[in-house]
Amino acid sequence: MPPDLHRLSAGTLAWLERNLDRFDPYAAGPGHPEHETPYAQAKAALELALLRHCWARVDTGDDPRLARVTTRVRTLWQHPDFPRLVTADPRCAAYYGLVYAALAPDGIDDRPCRAVLARLAADDLSPRGRTPYQRLELRYYADKAGVRHTVEPYEELVAGNVLVTLPAEAAKRAVPDGEAPVTVPEAYAVTHSSFYLSDFGRTGAGLSADALADAAELVRRLLEHCVRRDWWDLAAELLLTQVCLGVEPLRTPWGTAAVACLVRAQQSDGAIPGRSAGTRVTADEPAGAFFAKAYHTTLVTAMMTLLVAPAGAA
């Protein structure tokens, strides 16, 4: 693993490990003021489970850090109140229920997961009224959770996905100098679409050679914008997107520049302090508030380092 990537990986994983209690609303000790709602509590726990899920697939040994993260996720998934917490917010109850079941670690009692899935309505598992991206997201987690749905096959989802349609649209736009070629929601739809279509780099994304090249060029343009603007969260996701599209980030100029950008952002304790330089959380904020603003970008960056150079993950 190159030195910059190693520093990012070691630091972010160490910070996450030190803060495992903050991902767990049932952990003993001081309260979690950063988790003001069930939505925030569930979101942090589910993101930790996604990191564990991806990490376990590339770990080549018995990494004690992964073992400790796995233990925390298993403890959470076996807590009797956790299914209620995951589905407490009606805005995202069905979606979070799917993610909860999809990311359940092996070897636990799966009856609570099956109970959550049994409460899903037909509309929760239907493509009706959903955008192409939302249908892709629904299919990805429903398939992983092993629940029946009525979303069209991946081959059809690819044709209407932003990875195929957006590059041409973005190329026609008159974008002022210094501005991003797409909107913020479009940028995140690009990254997440690549995750779901490739199962986080485990398979090909299913794009034609021409579509793949066009998507990779749009990602390059976005990476350049992120580096110039110190947009850390999206930079980390775009590096992951390069992996999902079959591009080796460290062999591209803007991939290398994005890694260097994240290294510059990283604090001495390993955290990436916010989503961007413009929203940087300061060290004098309470620990809970700092965690709430820093954990997502730190976690995404850690995941990126593991998937960019999996041989160095052990």
Side-chain angles (χ1 to χ4, degrees), residues 58-135:
V58 301
D59 181 50
T60 57
D62 298 318
D63 192 324
R65 300 170 302 178
L66 172 58
R68 285 187 279 273
V69 171
T70 298
T71 296
R72 178 65 61 174
V73 172
R74 289 176 64 86
T75 299
L76 261 172
W77 258 243
Q78 294 173 109
H79 194 284
D81 184 61
F82 192 55
R84 180 208 59 79
L85 179 69
V86 166
T87 57
D89 191 325
R91 297 172 300 170
C92 55
Y95 171 60
Y96 275 14
L98 277 177
V99 178
Y100 158 70
L103 299 179
D106 293 337
I108 65 169
D109 181 355
D110 69 348
R111 285 177 293 181
C113 292
R114 287 189 279 116
V116 168
L117 294 176
R119 292 197 294 271
L120 296 177
D123 283 350
D124 295 328
L125 300 167
S126 166
R128 189 183 306 111
R130 301 179 192 272
T131 67
Y133 165 72
Q134 290 170 333
R135 297 200 300 272

Side-chain angles (χ1 to χ4, degrees), residues 233-305:
D233 175 64
L234 186 57
E237 290 203 13
L238 288 165
L239 286 165
L240 265 175
T241 295
Q242 286 191 311
V243 173
C244 294
L245 297 179
V247 176
E248 296 184 46
L250 299 183
R251 294 183 181 273
T252 69
W254 287 107
T256 303
V259 170
C261 174
L262 289 167
V263 168
R264 291 193 298 272
Q266 188 174 35
Q267 295 190 159
S268 60
D269 64 358
I272 308 295
R275 290 181 177 264
S276 68
T279 59
R280 180 196 299 266
V281 56
T282 59
D284 59 354
E285 292 221 31
F290 185 94
F291 174 85
K293 296 176 182 178
Y295 88 83
H296 173 78
T297 305
T298 305
L299 187 150
V300 170
T301 300
M303 186 186 302
M304 177 274 294
T305 67

